[in-house]
Structures are given as C-alpha cells and as structure tokens.
Amino acid sequence: MSVQQDCMPEFHVSKAGLRTKEMKYSTIIFDFDYTLADATNGIVSSFNYAFNRLDIPECDRESIKKTVGLPLDKSFIHLTNNKNEVLINRFLSFFREKANEVMSKDTVLYADTVNTLQRLKRNGLNTGIVTTKYHFRIVETLNLHGVLDLIDVIVGGEDVKVPKPSPEGLLLAIDSLNEQLNNVLYIGDSLIDARTALAANIDFAAVTTGTTKETEFSQYPYIKIVKNLSELFSE
C-alpha cells in the first residue's frame, strides 16, 4: 500500500531528532538483527552447534556477533577462513537445524521496538524489514511477539538473488509499497546497512545497538546516528 504524502505527517530531522511535524518520509524500513531485535543467543548457539558437528573449534560470542548481517556462508568464511563449498553447505544445514529449534524463541525485541512501530503506524507510515535473515524466520519471530501486523512488507535473504549491500532487497520492498525513493528512510546498525541504503539511493539512519561504533558510520552518508530507536523521535 502507498501513503499519500499530502495527508500524513512525516519525519523531520533536527538536532532534537526525527519529528512527526513536517513532511518528508512516508516509509520507514528497518534492518532486523541489532536494529529491532537481539538474536545473539540463538545465533551463537546455532553457529557453535554447527561447528561442533563439523569438528571445528567453537568461536567466541563477540566474534560471531561481528558477522551478523552477513549472509551465513560469508560469516562462515570470515570466522573459519575456509571456502570449501561442501563444508559450507554442511555448515548451513547444521546451522538451520539448530536455528529452527532456538532462533525465534531466543530472539528478544528491544525495549522500544514495539512502541516505535506502533507510533509509526499511528502516524500513517508504511513500515518494512529488509534483512539477510530468512523471511519465514522474521514472520515467526514477529508472530511470537504479536507484532506482525505492524510491518507492511518483509524482504528476507531467500527473497533476493544478491544479498545486502546489494540494493535489491530494499528496492523490492519499496516497489511492493509503490513508494518513491525520496520518501523512504532505511534504519540499520551496520556498515552493510549504510552501503545498502547508499546503493539504493535512499536516506539512512544508524543505530548503535549493534557492533558498529558511531565514528565508523562517518564514511557513508547518513541523516542521523542514535543510540536506540527512541532517539529518532522527539515530542
């Protein structure tokens, strides 16, 4: 669905944050992990379960966290320095086996996620999620938390041919909403998200709830860097 720009409040960036008083954005699209939710426990346990099944030494929590946002095969290569395709496919199979058991139930929404999404919907904005995580996993998680109805479009890793930072997923979401690029804001926690927004030619806002520090975002265009979603709003 599309929201007409002349009949709804948009977000305006100022020193105080994003305000719903002046027209600008009619669609807000989010990354998922470390932007809307913390799935660290499920991710780490799924990685190390797969590593154990493959007789690969376990990785520490922080090292695994830093790969979140990459496609799983790229994360495996980054953590193991092993590009063997047969081994990668076995890893993916074992990871999914464990993730199907623990991922959704071990994912925690940030304290301000639901309020943020509710506020966006009250103000008549479109909302979306574009992530490398599986589409079905996002649906399952949002259903568990009872907030699936607050999201208008989801584009997951299996919905695209090329993962982020390719703009394919963002552009697919935007097209499905029949939206204009200059009406869209993408919010994410990583440099991959920043590069994705840049490639899609849309505005980007960064949250530092992930592993990327504020200073690291300076190499890419952004309209705002905040500590959490709540800081995007001001009364």
Side-chain angles (χ1 to χ4, degrees):
M1 65 180 177
S2 178
V3 178
Q4 296 298 315
Q5 188 170 350
D6 59 357
C7 67
M8 51 152 288
E10 290 186 353
F11 290 93
H12 171 67
V13 178
S14 70
K15 290 182 179 180
L18 289 166
R19 294 182 178 176
T20 55
K21 293 181 179 179
E22 299 182 23
M23 291 292 185
K24 187 168 171 54
Y25 305 114
S26 53
T27 293
I28 309 295
I29 300 178
F30 300 88
D31 173 52
F32 188 73
D33 284 324
Y34 297 139
T35 299
L36 294 176
D38 185 348
T40 302
N41 289 342
I43 292 169
V44 171
S45 63
S46 297
F47 264 101
N48 283 328
Y49 171 83
F51 288 154
N52 281 325
R53 293 294 302 270
L54 296 170
D55 292 322
I56 294 173
E58 291 188 0
C59 283
D60 66 273
R61 186 180 182 91
E62 291 305 310
S63 294
I64 292 173
K65 284 177 65 175
K66 289 178 181 178
T67 71
V68 173
L70 293 172
L72 280 174
D73 58 342
K74 303 298 184 185
S75 295
F76 177 86
I77 292 170
H78 180 83
L79 292 169
T80 66
N81 199 31
N82 192 316
K83 298 182 180 180
N84 182 283
E85 290 188 10
V86 173
L87 191 63
I88 290 172
N89 286 331
R90 292 183 65 204
F91 163 79
L92 294 174
S93 178
F94 287 132
F95 181 97
R96 291 168 187 149
E97 179 181 309
K98 186 64 174 180
N100 286 337
E101 175 189 339
V102 302
M103 191 67 71
S104 294
K105 70 182 183 66
D106 284 352
T107 297
V108 179
L109 299 181
Y110 288 125
D112 54 2
T113 292
V114 175
N115 181 64
T116 296
L117 295 175
Q118 289 174 335
R119 184 169 182 173
L120 292 173
K121 300 313 294 179
R122 284 198 304 270
N123 281 282
L125 279 78
N126 296 317
T127 57
I129 293 173
V130 174
T131 175
T132 55
K133 207 159 197 169
Y134 289 123
H135 186 137
F136 78 88
R137 192 86 67 202
I138 301 298
V139 170
E140 184 178 69
T141 301
L142 295 180
N143 264 326
L144 281 175
H145 291 278
V147 294
L148 183 59
D149 62 328
L150 297 178
I151 299 295
D152 297 306
V153 61
I154 297 169
V155 176
E158 73 271 45
D159 299 322
V160 297
K161 294 180 180 178
V162 185
K164 297 189 295 184
S166 162
E168 182 184 352
L170 264 181
L171 295 177
L172 179 62
I174 293 166
D175 183 65
S176 73
L177 294 169
N178 194 30
E179 187 58 277
Q180 301 297 312
L181 295 180
N182 61 348
N183 292 334
V184 180
L185 176 67
Y186 187 49
I187 301 173
D189 66 282
S190 72
L191 297 185
I192 292 173
D193 297 322
R195 290 198 293 268
T196 304
L198 178 62
N201 196 30
I202 65 171
D203 286 348
F204 176 69
V207 288
T208 56
T209 40
T211 61
T212 306
K213 297 178 181 178
E214 180 176 347
T215 54
E216 296 179 74
F217 286 108
S218 62
Q219 60 190 295
Y220 296 102
Y222 62 86
I223 62 161
K224 192 75 175 177
I225 301 175
V226 294
K227 293 182 177 66
N228 53 58
L229 294 175
S230 294
E231 288 190 8
L232 287 171
F233 301 95
S234 62
E235 298 297 340

